[in-house]
Amino acid sequence: MSEPWLVVGLGNPGKEYAGNRHNVGFMVADLLASRVGAKFGRSKRSHADVAEGHLGFGGPKLILVKPLTYMNLSGGPVAQLAQFFKVPVANVLAVHDELDLPYGQVRAKRGGGEGGHNGLRSMSKSLSTKEYARVRFGIGRPPGRQDPADYVLSDFPSAERKELEFLVDRAADVAEAIMLEGVEWAQNKYHGS
């Protein structure tokens, strides 16, 4: 429990993006910050908002990060902060939207591909590895022939917003489980339900 965790909520800065599907990582990071009593502030070391706290009594230190570079350049601030806080890649956790999961599914994973996700692609390039942990928040595929880029940059519709708070809470639970017990434990606990 001695090594810190760098938890990266992937999203885009600015009010116009706040409710977008692509910004669910920011939503989960905000909830995790409130759970540990931390407040986000602008980092002097990287182009990101950062909040620091501890997960439970005697738990690991958390460095919560919301990159402010827009999604496709998220990796730079992540790598800078991981280096500054001396966080090993094994303790980097990305929280992101996932087109390949139906809306409502939240999954834990370590490594693997990026599935066309520009934030993950940027992180993998900047960290020189794909072997970081992930919380994948299912947003489903766009309907009909809608461009996936337009879909992820649109807000959750009212039918999905009814469940959104519960699902963000669940994603935060999965993130905490990964940090406290490991990816495999989190998968066993949360993937069956």
Side-chain angles (χ1 to χ4, degrees):
M1 291 289 184
S2 60
E3 291 184 307
W5 278 84
L6 192 76
V7 181
V8 182
L10 289 174
N12 288 310
K15 288 188 171 116
E16 67 272 29
Y17 299 107
N20 287 181
R21 291 177 173 95
H22 224 18
N23 269 42
V24 76
F26 276 18
M27 296 173 198
V28 175
D30 287 338
L31 178 58
L32 286 167
S34 71
R35 285 184 179 185
V36 300
K39 296 239 186 287
F40 278 98
R42 194 64 45 94
S43 171
K44 293 182 175 110
R45 292 168 176 71
S46 180
H47 195 53
D49 281 343
V50 175
E52 296 179 51
H54 280 84
L55 190 56
F57 181 72
K61 179 178 181 173
L62 293 186
I63 301 107
L64 297 159
V65 179
K66 295 191 295 186
L68 299 176
T69 51
Y70 293 96
M71 190 67 80
N72 60 344
L73 298 174
S74 300
V78 172
Q80 290 166 350
L81 290 166
Q83 183 176 12
F84 174 77
F85 287 106
K86 297 179 175 45
V87 178
V89 170
N91 282 28
V92 173
L93 171 59
V95 182
H96 64 91
D97 58 301
E98 178 63 65
L99 285 165
D100 291 330
L101 289 175
Y103 180 74
Q105 282 192 8
V106 178
R107 296 288 182 256
K109 178 181 178 182
R110 179 171 299 281
E114 292 105 0
H117 195 290
N118 289 332
L120 294 177
R121 187 178 295 133
S122 178
M123 279 185 60
S124 297
K125 182 178 179 188
S126 295
L127 294 169
S128 299
T129 183
K130 297 178 182 183
E131 292 305 308
Y132 48 88
R134 301 150 193 217
V135 173
R136 303 163 67 216
F137 189 107
I139 60 169
R141 285 263 160 207
R145 295 182 177 193
Q146 185 180 9
D147 181 0
D150 293 336
Y151 178 72
V152 299
L153 292 175
S154 63
D155 287 356
F156 288 97
S158 58
E160 291 180 353
R161 277 198 306 271
K162 290 176 186 166
E163 287 186 276
L164 186 58
E165 188 176 333
F166 165 77
L167 294 170
V168 167
D169 193 63
R170 183 177 181 86
D173 290 345
V174 173
E176 289 182 357
I178 289 170
M179 291 182 278
L180 292 172
E181 305 290 345
V183 171
E184 193 172 326
W185 189 93
Q187 289 171 332
N188 290 334
K189 177 166 175 66
Y190 289 102
H191 287 201
S193 54

